[in-house]
Amino acid sequence: FASERVKVTPLSVHEQGREAILSGLRLNEGLDVEGLEQRTGLKLQDMTNGKALAVLSQMGLLEHTCKNIRLTPRGWPLLDGVLGQLLDV
């Protein structure tokens, strides 16, 4: 394996943001939206399905403020589905 070359492809800023969302929503404290937006230069709405964000919040699956987004106790069992809807995957 030492002689094999591995091709490394850097993630775009958009992809980095989406990866941060995937990781951040798995934490109890959720995702620091302000920090993410500062690091990427993108708004949360540019990295997510804004309509799904609103619907998931209205359904009580996500708590969303301008500073933070996190799963509610009701949203935790549905994490994969929430992420799929939020990120259109």
Side-chain angles (χ1 to χ4, degrees):
F1 292 110
S3 64
E4 291 184 34
R5 292 190 180 239
V6 176
K7 182 179 178 183
V8 177
T9 304
L11 295 176
S12 70
V13 173
H14 189 265
E15 291 168 327
Q16 291 175 36
R18 290 172 60 93
E19 289 294 325
I21 293 167
L22 285 168
S23 299
L25 285 180
R26 288 182 163 84
L27 302 173
N28 285 331
E29 62 271 14
L31 175 70
D32 174 10
V33 173
E34 287 182 330
L36 175 64
E37 290 178 346
Q38 288 175 354
R39 284 192 312 275
T40 63
L42 299 171
K43 294 290 185 186
L44 181 66
Q45 295 82 356
D46 297 332
M47 295 176 273
T48 62
N49 178 332
K51 184 176 178 180
L53 179 59
V55 170
L56 293 166
S57 295
Q58 290 171 352
M59 292 174 65
L61 302 176
L62 286 176
E63 291 177 354
H64 177 230
T65 67
C66 60
K67 294 184 178 192
N68 185 276
I69 183 173
R70 67 182 185 155
L71 288 165
T72 64
R74 187 174 173 202
W76 275 108
L78 305 170
L79 172 63
D80 289 340
V82 169
L83 289 172
Q85 290 294 311
L86 192 60
L87 299 175
D88 286 327
V89 292

